Amino acid sequence: MIDSLTVLASISLMNALLYKRMEQLARTDGQTRLFKRNVFDETLSEEIGRAARHGLRLSIAMLDIDHFRNFNNKYGHITGDWVLREMARLIRETMPSYTLTARWGGEEFVVLFPNDGAPAAATRINQLQKVLAEQLRIPAEIAPEAGAERVTFSAGISQFPDHAQEALELVRLADEALYRAKNTGRNRVIVYGT
């Protein structure tokens, strides 16, 4: 009887751990350990509702690694994966704890700044660019031929409620600002409407 109870307890514990792990996998990108896009989408909608109720601002920043496809093709996918992981690590370490960061897709990331207007978000993203310039160097054991080639990113920022009142439109405007940053020289941060 005791052996049966021990086995059942053990199975229950294993199932609980497995469920927790599956839940984590559903919410977190395996490559970067950042949240997945669906988590960002849900949180953005909730935060817009909260900001609207309390008369607050919030901002989002869309980030895209410059020339990533060329870089990835030139040095290989292992190097590209390393760059993605290191970029995610620097975002996690640089952004304040109250932000939510997610992998949007490919080499794109998105940061939600609850309670921060676009100028504050731009300051934080500019700080990230400085940290990236100082710290992201590809080690020789990953890609010796990369030398001192720099990894940069472009970013676009939009703000609720000034630029848009709905999540989808806020994302679209941040994306529009991002493409403006990429089309005007890359390695820059542009706030929508400026």
Side-chain angles (χ1 to χ4, degrees):
M1 176 75 167
I2 293 195
D3 287 340
S4 296
L5 290 175
T6 303
V7 169
L8 285 174
S10 176
I11 290 171
S12 294
L13 179 60
M14 287 174 41
N15 283 340
L17 292 173
L18 181 60
Y19 178 81
K20 185 174 181 165
R21 178 70 178 139
M22 294 301 289
E23 188 176 63
Q24 179 185 13
L25 288 172
R27 296 177 51 85
T28 308
D29 176 64
Q31 181 73 272
T32 62
R33 296 184 316 145
L34 297 175
F35 286 113
K36 288 183 177 180
R37 183 176 172 171
N38 63 321
V39 174
F40 173 82
D41 290 341
E42 291 169 16
T43 305
L44 177 60
S45 293
E46 291 168 7
E47 287 297 322
I48 284 176
R50 187 183 67 79
R53 283 189 305 279
H54 299 289
L56 302 172
R57 288 192 164 89
L58 69 80
S59 298
I60 61 169
M62 301 283 294
L63 289 64
D64 186 84
I65 299 173
D66 294 326
H67 303 293
F68 183 77
R69 186 167 288 122
N70 293 338
F71 177 84
N72 202 25
N73 291 338
K74 188 174 179 182
Y75 301 118
H77 292 283
I78 290 172
T79 303
D81 289 348
W82 182 88
V83 169
L84 288 172
R85 285 190 303 274
E86 287 301 299
M87 175 81 174
R89 180 184 64 79
L90 291 172
I91 292 170
R92 275 193 310 275
E93 291 174 1
T94 305
M95 293 297 108
S97 60
Y98 63 86
T99 62
L100 181 129
T101 304
R103 184 172 183 191
W104 187 255
E107 69 276 9
E108 290 185 327
F109 302 89
V110 63
V111 183
L112 170 62
F113 294 90
N115 306 326
D116 282 350
T123 297
R124 299 275 188 194
I125 298 299
N126 279 313
Q127 289 170 343
L128 175 62
Q129 282 188 318
K130 290 177 185 166
V131 168
L132 186 75
E134 293 168 1
Q135 295 185 24
L136 190 58
R137 297 288 182 263
I138 300 167
E141 63 269 14
I142 301 247
E145 66 280 11
E149 188 167 341
R150 288 183 52 206
V151 177
T152 62
F153 70 88
S154 299
I157 297 173
S158 63
Q159 175 180 290
F160 170 89
D162 305 77
H163 301 142
Q165 288 77 44
E166 296 179 8
L168 190 59
E169 183 68 1
L170 199 63
V171 169
R172 188 187 72 74
L173 296 178
D175 199 41
E176 186 177 310
L178 166 65
Y179 278 93
R180 188 166 155 240
K182 292 181 90 55
N183 292 330
T184 57
R186 299 182 193 266
N187 193 27
R188 61 189 65 215
V189 178
I190 292 185
V191 174
Y192 176 79
T194 61

